Amino acid sequence: MRKERLFTPGPVQIPERVLKVLGEPIIHHRTPEFKEIFLYTRELFKRLVDSVSENFVYFASSGTGAMEAAVINFFKPGDKVVVINAGKFGERWGQIASTYGLNVVELKYEWGKSVDIEELKEVLDKNPDIKGVLFQISETSTGVYHDYKAIGELCKERDCLAVADAITALGVYNIKPEEEGIDILIGGSQKALMLPPGLSVLWFSEKAAKRLNKDIPKYYFDVAKEVKKQKEGSTAYTPAVSLIIGLRESLEMLLEEGMENVEKRHRLMSEATRAAVEALELKVFAENPAISVTAVYTERAEEIRKGLLKLGVRTAGGQDHLKGKLFRISHMGYLDTLDHLSAIGALEMVLSKLENRDLLGVGTKAFQQKVLEEEKLL
Amino acid sequence: MRKERLFTPGPVQIPERVLKVLGEPIIHHRTPEFKEIFLYTRELFKRLVDSVSENFVYFASSGTGAMEAAVINFFKPGDKVVVINAGKFGERWGQIASTYGLNVVELKYEWGKSVDIEELKEVLDKNPDIKGVLFQISETSTGVYHDYKAIGELCKERDCLAVADAITALGVYNIKPEEEGIDILIGGSQKALMLPPGLSVLWFSEKAAKRLNKDIPKYYFDVAKEVKKQKEGSTAYTPAVSLIIGLRESLEMLLEEGMENVEKRHRLMSEATRAAVEALELKVFAENPAISVTAVYTERAEEIRKGLLKLGVRTAGGQDHLKGKLFRISHMGYLDTLDHLSAIGALEMVLSKLENRDLLGVGTKAFQQKVLEEEKLL
């Protein structure tokens, strides 16, 4: 018997409750029935981001599609933007922005590092013509966290949009974009929203709304057109019907737990994982780690991943120049502390075998201590 | 978010593959389509018990129904039978046999003990008129194993039927009733067959077939009537359609793994669990433990169960006079070693908290050592 558990930073494990509705017969999207569900998920989404604004759209696309939509709807060729590039997804912001002729000022950081807020402030102070800061809240390739609240604060006082790729942060952090000065917030279904891939969401502030323009040609990813349709319960093009119905369940689950508790859970799972990783004498790669995914640096990453997979735990590897040097354990999706306990237990078995030394129970203990510090068990 | 994991000795965790077909639209049982599925599950079942005989029937009932069927179809009032009573289910054999006027010779053992084969042999030698030995392979209430092969051997040479309640043994042990001298073998769906409750199976030997009689009135549990129908792909009364379709999947899964490997997996999970339990200074209740369920004796059983449940692990408690003194961890169902690792991890957190001492990692380590001894990981 072989059971495989996804500890990858997308796709993630999907709750039974979501799977159940995904397995239901498909309904047509031009029906009152679907319209009702669609509008209901919009109400739920507003609660998720603690806003009453209708300024958001779903796309049948991966998260990258929504990133592109952010660039082509809210900016113009020649617009000067800062891109925080501290990993594969920061790099992607730069590529998209350059593709459409934006004037990219890249703040590049070594992989594993977070943005230097002071440095960003200086750049913004020196360049009052900067129209936007494009960044990740959680840089999935390195497990790094960029302080989105600080970036939001910096942009609030300026004529500059804080554009947050929250693909691995939405449903993890209790993000309140309106309050926190985030102007564009992007999410993807296959991460902490606990759905299969194929659905993205783009939320935007009133400040961003004023920037909507037609300077860059667009057809599918037309935010103004979509938002007009979607707030009435329709879509410009065929929506990802099943994913919207699944979203109803996953948003309900997140809201039932409460976003404060959701963030707390991810914080505990990730902190305990890092404690275990360090107890096992491995290196947490990120200086300022995100709570969505833990990247572990080791020369034996691939052997470890192989061993884990044999035991039923699928992790992700490193990307680009870190291929073979990282393995990444996701905390997103339908996972709790007990799921993590088994992954840590597997990790110490693999390590003990690989390095021919006794690390059994060592990571587990560090993990458990964190859990007991935080959680009332009895 | 709350995830609950069934570590109870029935119902058990059900594989996705089975859940998927259980969720399919129901089909009618008097159709060629169902007949084909039904006959196919019979072919699979034959492979499960390594026999080509058609002497077996499914009932839409719990396992107890099939136990009753064994008594009323193969025995007559006044028949002398030995009942091995070493727990709640041994006791049940006695109750059923007495209900129908059989002459019960009870071999009673303290809960936690297994049958004394020498004592059984003596009784059989002294009473050549004994028509059957009624026993459990795995006594679920105590986690005890009764050596079914030894009992089979004793009955082989005698005019005596070995009647095995294998409700928590079928799909765990690689039982070959024909070869091993078991005359009646009884299984239930909600145990190692990885299905919801509601389906039982009764297999019988050629020797038992000769004993089929009508002395005790029966209607629903009429083995002769059913077997005639079922080997043709039909049933006397409405079959449990969905469970039969689910059985197709779960039997395929067991056979794909191979019954030798299935037994090996259960042996490893149970041995490693016992090693962990002992490392945590708790007492494995059974002297001769079954590999289907581990019963742990402790005065704090209920507090432990409560703590485990809070962490997402549902175990069973003690029954009758052992209420509050036992907790039972099942190894049956869709469970692997990693699932067990998380349960053991949870157990040590609960114990550490309850007893205010540091047992973190201790059980895990003992568990992992067993796994590493047995399994090639890398």
Side-chain angles (χ1 to χ4, degrees), chain A residues 162-176:
Chain A
V163 183
D165 162 3
I167 294 172
T168 56
L170 188 65
V172 174
Y173 294 93
N174 184 16
I175 308 169
K176 302 176 174 187

Side-chain angles (χ1 to χ4, degrees), chain A residues 169-335:
Chain A
L170 188 65
V172 174
Y173 294 93
N174 184 16
I175 308 169
K176 302 176 174 187
E178 216 156 53
E179 184 183 322
E180 294 164 342
I182 302 301
D183 295 296
I184 299 177
L185 185 78
I186 288 157
S189 54
Q190 81 279 25
K191 313 289 184 179
L193 296 180
M194 308 187 287
L195 293 165
L199 185 76
S200 65
V201 59
L202 185 158
W203 181 97
F204 56 102
S205 66
E206 274 307 315
K207 182 172 159 191
K210 291 183 188 121
R211 294 270 202 92
L212 281 168
N213 68 74
K214 299 199 175 299
D215 285 34
I216 297 174
K218 56 200 141 274
Y219 193 83
Y220 187 75
F221 289 120
D222 187 330
V223 169
K225 185 169 58 184
E226 277 295 347
V227 82
K228 216 174 125 187
K229 288 273 190 185
Q230 293 196 13
K231 64 186 180 188
E232 303 300 329
S234 178
T235 53
Y237 314 112
T238 311
V241 173
S242 295
L243 293 176
I244 293 286
I245 296 173
L247 183 67
R248 179 187 65 195
E249 300 304 315
S250 61
L251 290 180
E252 275 186 346
M253 284 180 74
L254 290 170
L255 293 169
E256 280 163 17
E257 185 174 357
M259 276 312 296
E260 250 178 75
N261 293 326
V262 168
E263 177 167 335
K264 224 164 116 183
R265 172 164 57 85
H266 284 89
R267 198 165 293 285
L268 175 56
M269 293 186 300
S270 62
E271 277 179 1
T273 298
R274 293 198 299 272
V277 162
E278 279 160 9
L280 293 170
E281 298 169 35
L282 293 171
K283 190 176 154 27
V284 173
F285 185 61
E287 240 180 34
N288 183 16
I291 62 176
S292 52
V293 57
T294 296
V296 181
Y297 184 89
T298 158
E299 294 292 329
R300 309 191 86 162
E302 284 312 297
E303 291 166 280
I304 292 172
R305 287 185 62 216
K306 225 171 120 184
L308 286 174
L309 192 55
K310 216 157 185 176
L311 281 166
V313 174
R314 185 179 286 277
T315 56
Q319 292 170 296
D320 293 350
H321 66 282
L322 287 173
K323 214 166 236 173
K325 304 286 172 71
L326 282 190
F327 69 95
R328 293 176 296 149
I329 303 171
S330 165
H331 313 296
M332 295 179 291
Y334 190 50
L335 292 175

Side-chain angles (χ1 to χ4, degrees), chain A residues 129-161:
Chain A
D129 56 339
I130 284 176
K131 300 285 185 202
V133 179
L134 281 52
F135 66 101
Q136 275 65 39
I137 294 180
S138 152
E139 168 59 63
T140 322
S141 63
T142 60
V144 148
Y145 171 70
H146 294 310
D147 185 349
Y148 68 94
K149 292 179 191 175
I151 299 173
E153 280 304 319
L154 288 179
C155 292
K156 258 184 190 175
E157 321 147 352
R158 294 171 167 83
D159 183 29
C160 169
L161 302 182

Side-chain angles (χ1 to χ4, degrees), chain B residues 18 21-22 26-29 33-42 44-45 56-61 189 193 195-201 226 230 233-235 237-252:
Chain B
V18 174
V21 302
L22 291 177
I26 191 90
I27 60 172
H28 197 272
H29 54 291
E33 191 186 350
F34 183 71
K35 183 178 172 176
E36 191 184 319
I37 294 171
F38 188 83
L39 286 174
Y40 179 59
T41 68
R42 289 186 60 91
L44 295 175
F45 187 82
F56 65 96
V57 290
Y58 303 127
F59 288 115
S61 83
S189 54
L193 296 180
L195 293 166
L199 185 75
S200 65
V201 59
E226 277 295 347
Q230 293 196 11
S234 177
T235 52
Y237 314 112
T238 311
V241 173
S242 295
L243 293 177
I244 293 287
I245 296 173
L247 183 67
R248 178 188 64 194
E249 300 304 315
S250 61
L251 289 180
E252 275 186 346

Side-chain angles (χ1 to χ4, degrees), chain B residues 323-376:
Chain B
K323 213 166 235 173
K325 305 286 172 71
L326 281 191
F327 69 94
R328 292 176 297 149
I329 303 170
S330 165
H331 313 296
M332 295 179 292
Y334 190 51
L335 292 175
D336 65 5
T337 44
L338 274 215
D339 290 315
H340 280 77
L341 252 188
S342 61
I344 296 301
L347 176 59
E348 40 195 45
M349 284 199 274
V350 171
L351 273 181
S352 296
K353 201 82 180 181
L354 262 182
E355 305 192 348
N356 201 20
R357 62 193 185 123
D358 184 2
L359 290 162
L360 302 179
V362 173
T364 298
K365 180 173 181 159
F367 187 99
Q368 291 168 320
Q369 281 169 336
K370 274 279 168 211
V371 174
L372 288 177
E373 277 168 29
E374 295 296 322
E375 279 198 318
K376 268 224 167 79

